[in-house]
Amino acid sequence: MAEKFVYVTYIRTTPEKLWSALTEPKFTRSYWCETWHDTDWKPGSSWKLMIPDGRVGDAGEVLEIDRPRRLVLKWRNEFLPDMREEGYSRCTFDIEQANGAVKLTVTHEIDKPRSKFLQSVSAGWPAILASLKSLLETGDALEQTKHWPKGM
Amino acid sequence: MDAVFKALADPTRRRLLDRLFAGNGQTLGALCAEARMSRQAVAKHLALLEAANLVATQRRGREKLHFLNPVPINEIAERWIGKYERHRVRALADLKKNLEGKSDG
């Protein structure tokens, strides 16, 4: 059986601004533990999430992209061997207008029961999404996700 | 935020969240099976949890799957836990858990 997590947050912003915050390094570095995307954002292009010290954190492919509505990434952990060997997961970002706010749904799934990788990313998503919301609504990300965890 | 507190104030709804924490992506039928209350009552509790954004739903064919969405809880925690206190609070929570042998029910 596949494993799947679904995260939803409502943010007072516009779909375009949310899209920029999700994809552009100058934003991701401030709320997503200093990581940044290395990709040209074209369907079929390679995608990497870079760790600030230069390592590749996660990598895969842009499966689907429809700015500013939907982004689907093929996603595998690269820097932790036991997670890497679980293979590829799939992460979908859906953006919709909802009563004056923007609804962001992040769906992360993998075709592997009791996936350690999915347990691990799913522990991180709530904090990263809360931080993204804080950044867009107040101009400041949450302390919790401002820096790459020491020793990781 | 009021909606989140209201939703969490009820033990039945907290139990539903526990069930989703144990097994994410369940149908109404699956959640009813152990709940010992009517399907309508469970559906009503789930609707309230969804309105508070503590539960996210997705369609799979004719079924609706329910997922625990902890993002609002994280937002609440961040509101009052300052940047310097977080590690201390976590250490205390771990200590409480170890001493009591289980987490809050």
Side-chain angles (χ1 to χ4, degrees):
Chain A
M1 204 187 93
E3 275 227 61
K4 182 174 185 175
F5 286 90
V6 181
Y7 295 119
V8 177
T9 183
Y10 292 84
I11 305 176
R12 288 188 302 276
T13 186
T14 64
E16 268 300 332
K17 279 187 191 149
L18 176 53
W19 187 273
S20 297
L22 281 172
T23 56
E24 293 174 22
K26 67 175 180 205
F27 291 110
T28 60
R29 280 190 176 113
S30 62
Y31 72 89
W32 194 337
C33 305
E34 299 179 273
T35 60
W36 55 283
H37 301 285
D38 183 6
T39 177
D40 64 8
W41 297 121
K42 294 202 175 77
S45 288
S46 76
W47 163 85
K48 288 184 197 131
L49 189 69
M50 303 300 293
I51 296 173
D53 64 15
R55 284 177 295 163
V56 178
D58 304 84
E61 187 187 321
V62 179
L63 293 176
E64 215 182 299
I65 184 160
D66 176 16
R67 178 179 186 136
R69 277 175 290 273
R70 188 174 162 88
L71 171 65
V72 186
L73 297 172
K74 188 171 154 183
W75 182 317
R76 182 178 71 183
N77 181 283
E78 295 294 325
F79 77 109
L80 299 167
D82 53 334
M83 306 237 174
R84 188 177 192 274
E85 74 179 22
E86 289 190 355
Y88 284 101
S89 66
R90 180 186 166 98
C91 187
T92 304
F93 300 82
D94 284 301
I95 297 172
E96 303 158 74
Q97 293 274 11
N99 314 319
V102 178
K103 179 185 182 184
L104 169 65
T105 305
V106 176
T107 308
H108 211 143
E109 55 204 308
I110 193 166
D111 198 11
K112 189 173 176 65
R114 292 177 295 282
S115 159
K116 263 190 263 172
F117 167 70
L118 212 64
Q119 289 294 337
S120 146
V121 285
S122 69
W125 275 126
I128 287 164
L129 295 179
S131 191
L132 166 65
K133 177 182 166 76
S134 174
L135 176 72
L136 286 167
E137 293 185 350
T138 71
D140 202 10
L142 301 178
E143 207 58 37
Q144 198 183 357
T145 66
K146 274 187 186 170
H147 303 290
W148 181 255
K150 276 198 191 86
M152 196 160 140
Chain B
M1 201 168 271
D2 288 350
V4 176
F5 281 109
K6 196 183 165 211
L8 290 174
D10 182 273
T12 306
R13 288 193 286 273
R14 289 201 296 274
R15 211 139 45 227
L16 282 169
L17 293 179
D18 288 339
R19 301 269 311 280
L20 291 176
F21 185 68
N24 217 356
Q26 297 192 52
T27 60
L28 174 59
L31 289 166
C32 284
E34 280 177 51
R36 269 185 279 164
M37 63 179 131
S38 73
R39 198 179 167 88
Q40 288 94 318
V42 176
K44 215 169 150 185
H45 283 303
L46 285 172
L48 229 142
L49 287 166
E50 194 178 355
N53 196 28
L54 289 165
V55 162
T57 58
Q58 283 195 350
R59 293 231 153 249
R60 188 184 62 191
R62 292 171 64 185
E63 289 178 323
K64 196 174 176 187
L65 303 180
H66 300 80
F67 295 86
L68 173 66
N69 182 38
V71 182
I73 296 171
N74 207 95
E75 288 157 10
I76 287 172
E78 285 300 321
R79 178 164 165 169
W80 290 295
I81 300 177
K83 48 189 169 181
Y84 306 112
E85 291 163 54
R86 183 165 304 104
H87 298 294
R88 230 179 322 154
V89 172
R90 192 167 294 158
L92 286 172
D94 287 346
L95 179 64
K96 177 178 157 67
K97 219 160 146 182
N98 283 332
L99 291 174
E100 296 180 350
K102 64 183 177 98
S103 55
D104 180 29

